[in-house]
Amino acid sequence: MPLIDVFNGDADGLCALHQLRLADPADSELVTGPKRDISLLKRVQARAGDRITVLDIALSKNREALDRILEAGAVVRYFDHHQPGDIPTHPHFEPHIDTDANVCTSLLVNRYLQGRHLAWAVTAAFGDNLADAARQAAAPLNLSVEQLAQLQSLGECLNYNGYGETLDDLFYDPAELYRQMRPFADPFAFIAESAAYRTLKAGYREDMTRAVALDATEARAAGRIFMLPAEKWARRISGVFGNQLAVESPTQAHAVLTAKRGGGYVVSVRAPLVAKSGADELCSQFDTGGGRKGAAGINHLPDAEVGRFIATFFAVFSRS
């Protein structure tokens, strides 16, 4: 019976799949891509009896493909924390969906597995910029401050690898990065032994150094907006730069607009960490926009829409 694992290419998607396959080892077809490539189910050609696991991609963006797959007779289990729209009721569909702002997909998988691979869920929560939730979840592990910092660094590096316009922007295809993670039940062993982690950590440090040297394009009490150039380093760092800005100034909202080679921008939005709301409301007002309350994005913002985006950004977050 064919197995197909469909997962977001960021830390949350990677660690969610890793937990499941540590608990239930199996060879499967891997369907993934850069973090913003979320319409992944359209790439799945399912047949009756196929078992498909979907991790960390919005159901609302994949509903048509999901309906097609279920009609074909496949069995689908779906773990996610984004706004789902209408959740189908079907005998072959098993949803595990929770949109709470302090939950990520890997924490949902951890709940499903009753904590069997908790350290990887903690890693993912750190990568998804849910540091408080990560530390709270980690309590049963009795980790030191240094160990928590190691998991945070790993989560941030795995997340960093997911950002880019195409796979060519990334250090690793997420499917290959998962294969490198797969032998390691212990994330601390991966940290100690993995060449991939060292590569990502060095790249993260270099790209972030460039990003933090930039001044905000627009800065007000409610938030700050940064604009990055159409270069590989900027496409890689855009999301995790937004996360760092949010941590540095938790009462402000942040937007990072990264120029695209053909014109327009990719947008990452982070709501104030003290509120964790408004990001999805803002981004859903633009074509190709979506996400969750605390963090959302727009895959293509035309140049002509930048002014409206900035005005809407401050309108949404000045109410917070």
Side-chain angles (χ1 to χ4, degrees), residues 180-196:
Q180 296 207 31
M181 294 165 59
R182 189 172 176 177
F184 295 92
D186 180 3
F188 294 106
F190 183 79
I191 289 168
E193 300 173 27
S194 169

Side-chain angles (χ1 to χ4, degrees), residues 197-281:
Y197 173 64
R198 291 193 293 274
T199 296
L200 291 175
K201 191 171 182 180
Y204 178 98
R205 187 182 301 115
E206 182 177 339
D207 290 350
M208 188 63 79
T209 298
R210 294 183 179 186
V212 298
L214 299 175
D215 292 326
T217 302
E218 187 92 26
R220 304 181 196 173
R224 295 181 291 173
I225 294 175
F226 290 78
M227 302 185 80
L228 275 55
E231 298 181 22
K232 274 190 175 186
W233 71 265
R235 293 191 290 273
R236 286 195 299 260
I237 206 66
S238 60
V240 289
F241 180 45
N243 289 345
Q244 178 164 310
L245 291 169
V247 171
E248 286 177 357
S249 186
T251 62
Q252 288 184 299
H254 293 88
V256 178
L257 281 65
T258 307
K260 300 176 74 170
R261 286 168 287 193
Y265 295 85
V266 173
V267 182
S268 289
V269 175
R270 300 293 179 265
L273 286 181
V274 295
K276 290 184 183 174
S277 65
D280 56 346
E281 177 191 346

Side-chain angles (χ1 to χ4, degrees), residues 148-167:
L148 283 170
Q150 287 181 293
L151 293 185
Q152 181 165 5
S153 175
L154 175 58
E156 289 170 349
C157 286
L158 294 176
N159 211 47
Y160 158 75
N161 182 74
Y163 283 93
E165 196 169 336
T166 65
L167 288 175

Side-chain angles (χ1 to χ4, degrees), residues 76 84 93 104 149 170 193 238 245 280 285 289:
V76 180
F93 184 61
C104 64
L170 313 185
E193 300 173 27
S238 60
L245 291 169
D280 56 346
Q285 296 184 49

